[in-house]
Structure formats: C-alpha cells, structure tokens
Amino acid sequence: MRLRTLLTALLALLLAACGADEPIRIAFVGGLSERTNDTGESGRNALILAIEQRNAAGGINSRPLELVVGDDGQDPDTARKAMSELLAAKPEVVVGPYTSSMAAAVLPLADSAGVVLLSPVITALDFAGKDDMLIRLNRTTRDNARDYARVLLARGQKRLAVAYDVRNRAFTESWLAELAAAYEGQGGELVARVEFTSAANTPFGEVAERLQAPSPDGILFIAAAVDVARLAQQVRKLSADTPLSAVEWASTEQLLELGGRAVEGMLLAQSHNREDTSPRFVAFRDAFRARFQREPGYSAIATYDAAIVLFDALAKRGRGQPLKQAILDNAPYPGLQHEIRFDRFGDSYRDIFFAEIRDGRFELVR
Amino acid sequence: MTAREWKLRSFIVAIMIVTTLITVFLVSAAVLLLRIPVIEAENQREVQLHANEYAAHVQVLLGGIESRLDVLANTHARLSPSQFEALLEQMAQGTRGIHALYLVARDGTVVAAGLGDNVEIFRGDILGSDLSATPLFRRVIDRGQRQWSDTYLSALSGNLTVGLATPAGPNHVLIGEVPLASVLDTVKMLAREYAPPLWVLDSRGEVMIETGNGPRAGRSNLKGLPILQAAGDGEARTADLEFGGKRYHAGVAYSEALHWHFVTTTPAGLDNPRVLSTVLIVVAAFGIAILVSIFLSPTWAQQLAAPLDRIVAQARETAQGGNGRWPRGRIAELNALSADLESMAGALRELNVELEHRVEKRTQALAESNESLSNTLARLEQAQHELVRAEKMAALGGLVAGVAHELNTPIGNGLMAVSTLSDQAREFRRTMQEGLRRSDLEHLLGSVEQATDIAARNLSRAADLVTSFKQVAVDQASSQRRRFELAEVVGEIAVTLGPSLKRTPYVLTTDVPAGLALDSYPGPLGQTLANLINNALLHAFDGRDAGHVHIAARLADDGMIEVDVTDDGKGIPAGLIGRIFDPFVTTRMGRGGTGLGLHIAYNAVTHVLGGSLQVDSAEGQGAHFRLRLPAVAPAAAAGDIHEV
C-alpha cells in the first residue's frame, strides 16, 4: 500500500516536472548590433520585461516562457541566418523584425516554417493586406505619409527636401512614394530626394549639402535615429533655421542624445502618447526604466503591446489551433494605449501623435 | 510459499554479483557524494578567479588609456589650440585602442578633434557637432571628473563605442572614443588563454561579448539575473546561475571604472566536464566491476562448485552402491567433508552388510515358522473336517442307539409273545400226551391268537421304526436331492428324536402345514433341524425342568419357505450371538459340546440348501432361529454336499 502510494506520488511528480519544465519558446529577431540597434534593443527589452513579468505571474497555463534572441544585423543574409537559427529552436512565434527590409528577408522563412512573425512596428505597405504568417501591429506607411504630408503642408512647408536610407529600402522607398503621392497631391513639391546608405563611412556632410542646395522650406529624414542625428548636426552647420522633420522610425531616445541642440524643434510622429498618465502606461514605463535605465521608446511600447496580444492568444488558444488563428480570433486586446484589433490579414492600426523636440524632450504637438 | 531452489553455482554467481554491485555502488556513491561537492567548490573558485582576472586585465588596459587621456588633459592649458589639435591627432593615430579624441566646449560643441586614419574624412562632420545631450558629456559636466560611458553608438562612426571623458581645464571636456571592438579584442585574447566562457555586460546589463562555449545569451540584457543584482554593489560574488534551463557556476567581477560586469561561467552538475568525467569514471568502474563479476564469477563459482559437485557425484555413486575414490581438492573444508563422507560411507557399507545378514536370518526364521504354521493350519483343517464328520457320525450313532433302544421294546414284546406261544405249544404237546381236551385246545387257540396278535402289533411297530430310520439314514448319509413335503421331513425328525425326547421333560411340537413342497436335499435339512433341536435341548434347557421347542413353517410372500425353530430356553448371551455360527464356539466345552452343531447347520442351509439362517435371541427370553429356504435348491457340486 505504502509502496503504491510512493510510486503514484513519484509518477505524479515526474509528470508535473515534465509539464512544468516544458517552456513556451518565444523568439525575437531585430537589429541589435548595428546602427538601428535602438529600436531593436528597445523592443527586445520590452519583450524581456513582458516575459519576466509573465513568468513571475506563473507563465502561461503554468508553462514558463523562454526567450531566444536573434540579431538581424540589418543585413538580409545575417537576418536569414539568424532566423534559421531561431526557427531551429522551434519557437511558438517570432517577435520582430523591426525594419521592413528585414521583414522582407525573413518572412519567406517564417511562411515556410509556418511560424507566426509578429512585428510590432513595421509599416511598409508591401506587407499589408496579405494572408501570410506576418502579423503587424502598426499602421502602414501610407497612413503615416498622408498624416506627415498634411501636417507639413499645414506648417507652410511646400518645398520639401528628403533624405532616405536605402539600407531599409523596403520601408524608406515605400514611405517616400506614399509621401510623394500625398504631398504632391496636396500641392507640395519634393525639391530634393537624396538617398544614402547608413554606414560608418557615409559622408553625412555631403548629404546635408545636397539637401540644403535647393533651399527647401523644410527637410525630412526617412532614416533611423543615429543617422537622423548626424544628418541634423550637419544640416545645422549649413542652416540654423531650416525646419527639420523625421519619420517615426527615428523617434527614439537616442535621437535626443546624439542630436543634442541640432535636433531641437524637429517634428516627428510617434505611434504612442509619451505624455500618457494612465496608471497602466505609467506602471509599464516605470518598470521599464527600473529594469533598463532607459525610457521606453515607441518600439518598446509596440513590442509590449505585441506581448500582450501574444500572451493572451497563447493562453486562450484551443488545442491544436494555429497561433495565427488564435491571435485573430481572440481580438480585440487591451494594448497599453489603445484597443488592438486585426483585420483578416493580421494587419492592425494604431493612432499617431506628432511631437516636437523641445529642450531635449519630445513634446506633443496639439 | 516455498523458497526457490537454487543451483549452487547460480547461487554463488548471484551472491558474487550482488556483493560486487552493492560494494561498487556504495563506493561509487561515497566517491560521488564526497568528490562532487569538492569539484563544484573548486569550479566555483576557479570561475571567480577568472572573472577577477578578466576584470583586472581590462582594468589595466583601460587604465593605460585613462592615464594617457589624463596627461593629454593636463597639457591642454599649456598648449595653443593648434598645437593641442596636432597632439590630439598624434595621440588618436598612435594609440592603440583610441579611435578618436574630441575636445568639447562646455556647451557641447566639438572644437577640436583627433581622428584615426580611417575616420579622418569625418573631420568636417565632427567639428562643430553638438554633444551636449550625450549622457557621457553630461555626466562629466555634472561630476567634474573622469567618467566612462556605457556603450553607445558613436556619432562619428555609428559603431558601438565606449567613451572616456575627462575635464580639460575649466571650460573643456576631453572625450576619447574607445571602440568596443578593441576592448573586446583584448578580452577575447584573454579568453583564448583562459578557458571559462565569459560574458561582458555593460552597466545596463547588455551583453557586449560572449566567448567560448558558454551559455548563449546572444544579444540580450541580463540585468535581471539575480547574480548581477547581488553583485551590483561592486563586490565580487560567486553564485550559481540558472540560464536557459541549465545550471552554471558563475563568477562575477565588477569594473568600477567601466561599470561593467565580467561574468564567467562553468557548467554545474553533469554538464561540467570534471564532474562528468568523475561520474563517468565511477560509472565505468561500476560497469567494469559488473563485467568482471559477470565474467569471473562463473569461473570462481566453477572453482568452488566443481569439487563439491565431485563430492556430490561420488556420494550419489556410493548411494547407488558404487565404490569410487572420494575426491580431494584445494579447499580444506571440502576435503574434510569428503573424508567424513568417505568414512561415513564405509561405516554405512558395513552396517548394510550386517543388516543384510540379519534380514536373511530373520527371513529364514520367518519362512520356517510360516511353513510350520501352514502345516499346523492344514492339520487343523483336516482335524476340523474329521471333527465335522465325526460329529455327523456321532449324530447318526445317537440316532442308531435311539432307534435300537426303540426297537428293543416291540421286538422284545414280539419275542416274548412268540416265546410265550412256544411255551404254550410245548404245554399243549405235553397235554396232548396226557389227553387232549377241548378246553385245552381252545386255551391254545386263545393263547395263539393273543400271542400272534401281540407279536404282529410289535413287529409292525418295529417295521415302522425301521422304515422311518431307514429314510433318515438314507437321507443323511447320501444327501440325495429329491422332491418331498416339508411336513414329512419334520415328522420324520420328530419321530426320530421322539425316543430321545421321551426320556427328558422337554416337549417338541410341530406346526407344519401340508403342501409345502420342496425340490431340495432332505438330509441336510433334517440334520439342520435336528441340530437346532439338539442345540435347544443341550444349551437352552440346560439345567431346566421344562422346555418347549416349536417348529413352525409357512410360505413367505416372496415364495421362500420360512421355518421357525423357537424355544423358551435361557437365550443366547449378547457377547456370543455374533459368533454362534462359527466353528468350535460352545459354552459346554469339555462337557460334551463340540461347538460344531450350529456351524454344520449354518453351512448346510447356506451352501447346500441355498437359503439363509438367522438367529434372534436375548438372554432369558429364548431363541428364535429362522430358516428361509428356496422351494428349489440351487444345483450344487456333489463334493460340496458330501463335505457337509
């Protein structure tokens, strides 16, 4: 009798141990080593925070979450290699990537592996309206470009010079095309389109000169924060007062640190409201600051939203149900600042907030 | 439940293997229990030492850069701006590990720069740039002393960089960019010499480098690890680390200047090569011990069991009468056993021979006594037959005596009448000589008539007796089978026994209806009835003044003829009634009883007449014998009949 009890207990323990030990693996892919590492790192940190919080609360259905991180290096080959390694670890989902070019590189791998690619931030229109394994939380470049065109024209900038980074061509060219259509449609003129490659040896002074040459009403940067900061520094040497603006991609804390006075007055759109005082947002922001000694940027917030979606869908997923279906079926989700809904292609929408940099901080433009 | 029976060899093999296993298991467990904690402690110490060494080496490297920057900052006040810029240029190009040097005014504007060859083209971009918002610049301004930055993207190269900044006079800050790659190359170089895998984490917990085959953190942030939080106060601490589902010993060293953590790891538990090799050695020892015991114990068991087997075989041979040589081997106890068994076998053999002699003698004696008993039995049987025959003859003799006595009277009477007649004739003759007178003649005639009448009656009676006797004698002597009336036989017996009974006070009555016909043996039946009556006269009425024997017969429902012989005598004792039909059972032994009467009667009824004879009696209440006879007796061998 006692032996049987003992055996039963052992067996139960073994089963419990097996059940508890099998973690849900979540992969992350984003730029972590290169020039755009601020969005990638910020997103990864938000995912780390979300996973740590969820594990502390008992995981999902008693299974802990485990993060595997891949660095796409902002290079298609590196990205594919990283993605293959991540997929070899059999993750439930891959969160990322954070730039459209990388999405273009890794999406075929995700599609063939049947693993959901949950991208918090990418906006390129190429990815919208397709029934693939990509689920996007952000709006599209078209939405953003239209809003920028409207706001810039309202500010009296009718002649606009644009610099765009062809390393993230999928995003920047899509963005530029949408802008051109909207801007020129409303009577504006793009007087300079200067492409550059974000790299260590890029001569930013030359790029600034070419932008400034036609004496535009304003200059728009379609680039990441580090490049925007450096371009702004160079532009400011040529002109102290040409209004500067940059796409939402550059809207990070790094822009403030590297840009210094050069980025003062720069107009940017942000996919979240930095001045939100709702307890939920404040709690997240404080937790993020405490954990990483940084402000959460837009990619952190979008990634945290992605984690909310992911955890909710994983918890509610039926036995054998594909994750993509679970994500679409269980919408809407309570995001940090908005209710997250999806269309049948796994595309979403979120509000946009325009801000100016004043005294080294982003301030909402009313 | 019965215990399983083992063969000695299997038993020895099992014992050896089990003993080996238990011993090796205990030793292994002891080795593992004692040795593994020691190894783990050693590993723990080692990783901590390595972490400290990494930190110290990097500190030395960075200390060199720090001192150069300090020297440069001190010279700033004494040199003209152009001289200083030239010096910056020279330093940036000539110092390994420094990638660029900026002189920054208090407002954050870069006023002079010294750039390495490969970044010289950016001079125009750099000069006039604003660094006022960078965390490093702000920290130096705030604290007024030398500071290291976290890793950041160089505004110059866009590469990951650490910056070192120090105040240069009251109005300037000197910033040196140290590419992470050069620091990390140094670390990697060290890591090649020292085995344990290493993570270098910046102050925010970002993994800047990981070397060797340690846990793969990838591009991760490890600030959340408990060991870092414990080591956050700058104190080196050794602890275990759970990472990626595995356990590691981790050494953590903290660099004050850089606010970096150096984390060295070595796998804990079985993943650790030393622990693993220890465990493998123990397991191998275990396996070898098992193999050795499995391969050697049969041989050893054979060594031990073979002499014993020989002893057992010899014992079996001896038991079967063989007489082989008792084996001797190398084991003293077994030799002793063999010797003891040998002497025991010898003793047994002697005992056996003796026993055989004794048995033979006894058997002979038994055979002899058996033969004499057989002879005695044969004689006894012969005697019994003789006795039975004698008894029959005696009964016949008695009958003859009775009949003779019975005949005596009529014959005597006849003789007397005849002799009287003869006297009368002689008298008549004498008278006739004297003269015959009519009266004399008439007297003679009267006498003759009287005498012939007497003689005729008595002779007739004698003839009757003889006829009756003749029948009985013929029946009893010949045992011939014939058809007869039961009443006739009973009447003849009554008549035959009549003379004997007349001299006694006892009465025999019969009640046999006419018409009970049998096809049987009247002799044995008569003898049976006579024996039963005689039994009553001799035993039942012994010492009594009166007695009554009654014979009754009737036809039973089942066609058998029942003849009841009852007396009102003293009955048969209960202890005797079960054996009264056995031979030689009598209460009058030595007083004229042979003990054969009822035995003869029983045998006659059961064997010859084919019927049954039962007795029912209680002491003091007379006896009741019942014969049940078939109307037709079974055919029987003549020999049997004569035997009875």
Side-chain angles (χ1 to χ4, degrees), chain B residues 48-70:
Chain B
Q48 184 58 55
L49 280 176
H50 280 108
N52 294 345
E53 259 175 80
Y54 278 125
H57 273 86
V58 171
Q59 194 59 56
V60 166
L61 175 78
L62 299 180
I65 294 171
E66 281 175 4
S67 50
R68 279 163 198 246
L69 209 67
D70 286 346

Side-chain angles (χ1 to χ4, degrees), chain A residues 32 35 37 41 44-45 69 200-202 204-205 230 233-234 237 254 256-258 260-261 291-294, chain B residues 107 109 122 124-130 132-135 153 155-158 204 206 219-221 223-224:
Chain A
L32 293 171
R35 303 171 67 82
N37 85 339
E41 185 184 310
R44 184 210 61 197
N45 286 352
V69 175
N201 56 2
T202 308
F204 285 99
R230 295 183 63 190
Q233 295 267 12
Q234 303 311 316
K237 289 182 194 168
Q254 218 172 18
L256 305 177
E257 291 179 3
L258 294 177
R261 284 189 305 277
R291 174 72 174 76
F292 302 106
Q293 291 86 48
R294 286 268 167 105
Chain B
D107 67 352
T109 309
F122 297 112
D125 288 3
I126 296 296
L127 291 176
S129 290
D130 174 31
S132 61
T134 59
L153 286 173
L156 176 67
S157 64
R204 289 177 296 122
E206 290 293 318
R219 288 280 165 184
S220 194
N221 186 301
K223 187 75 173 174

Side-chain angles (χ1 to χ4, degrees), chain A residues 96-326:
Chain A
Y98 285 74
T99 54
S100 299
S101 300
M102 294 304 106
V106 303
L107 182 55
L109 293 173
D111 279 341
S112 65
V115 174
V116 169
L117 197 59
L118 183 61
S119 178
V121 298
I122 65 165
T123 53
L125 202 56
D126 288 355
F127 300 112
K130 289 182 181 162
D131 188 13
D132 49 20
M133 294 310 287
L134 178 67
I135 292 180
R136 299 183 318 106
L137 265 72
N138 214 343
R139 51 184 5 222
T140 62
T141 47
R142 174 173 293 169
D143 304 323
N144 285 349
R146 280 179 181 167
D147 287 343
Y148 268 84
R150 180 174 47 76
V151 171
L152 291 175
L153 284 168
R155 293 188 160 211
Q157 298 179 23
K158 296 202 185 306
R159 299 175 71 252
L160 194 63
V162 180
Y164 62 102
D165 171 13
V166 293
R167 277 235 306 190
N168 190 12
R169 198 184 286 275
F171 169 77
T172 58
E173 288 184 348
S174 160
W175 214 103
L176 181 57
E178 296 299 327
L179 175 78
Y183 192 71
E184 288 170 353
Q186 293 173 49
E189 187 192 352
L190 295 182
V191 293
R193 302 183 191 203
V194 182
E195 66 166 58
F196 69 94
T197 305
S198 172
N201 56 2
T202 308
F204 285 99
E206 281 175 29
V207 175
E209 280 166 20
R210 288 171 61 196
L211 286 169
Q212 194 58 45
S215 301
D217 296 341
I219 295 173
L220 172 69
F221 304 111
I222 308 176
V226 61
D227 297 322
V228 171
R230 295 183 63 190
L231 282 170
Q233 295 267 12
Q234 303 311 316
V235 168
R236 278 286 169 261
K237 289 182 194 168
L238 303 174
S239 155
D241 55 2
T242 308
L244 301 178
S245 51
V247 297
E248 68 280 5
W249 185 17
S251 174
T252 71
E253 310 307 311
Q254 218 172 18
L255 177 66
L256 305 177
E257 291 179 3
L258 294 177
R261 284 189 305 277
V263 296
E264 280 290 309
M266 187 181 276
L267 177 79
L268 298 103
Q270 299 195 320
S271 55
H272 68 286
N273 178 5
R274 288 179 175 269
E275 293 168 22
D276 188 359
T277 54
S278 70
R280 200 147 160 258
F281 181 75
V282 170
F284 161 73
R285 190 190 61 202
D286 292 348
F288 193 92
R289 275 184 191 156
R291 174 72 174 76
F292 302 106
Q293 291 86 48
R294 286 268 167 105
E295 286 294 319
Y298 75 91
S299 80
I301 288 157
T303 305
Y304 200 79
D305 278 344
I308 290 170
V309 169
L310 178 61
F311 297 167
D312 216 13
L314 282 172
K316 290 177 181 166
R317 171 159 68 156
R319 185 177 287 274
Q321 187 182 26
L323 181 61
K324 180 180 175 184
Q325 205 53 48

Side-chain angles (χ1 to χ4, degrees), chain A residues 31-42 74 254, chain B residues 153 160:
Chain A
L32 293 171
S33 58
E34 275 284 345
R35 303 171 67 82
T36 54
N37 85 339
D38 55 337
T39 51
E41 185 184 310
S42 184
Q74 287 301 295
Q254 218 172 18
Chain B
L153 286 173
L160 283 171

Side-chain angles (χ1 to χ4, degrees), chain B residues 55 57 92 123 126 134 152 201 215 236 240 282-283 319 346 385 393 407 413 421 425 441 465 483 534 540 596 641:
Chain B
H57 273 86
R123 179 174 298 281
I126 296 296
T134 59
Y152 65 97
L201 312 178
D240 275 6
V282 167
V283 169
H385 286 304
M393 289 303 145
L407 283 177
N413 288 344
L421 192 57
L441 196 56
L465 279 171
R483 290 189 61 82
N534 275 328
L596 284 169
I641 295 163

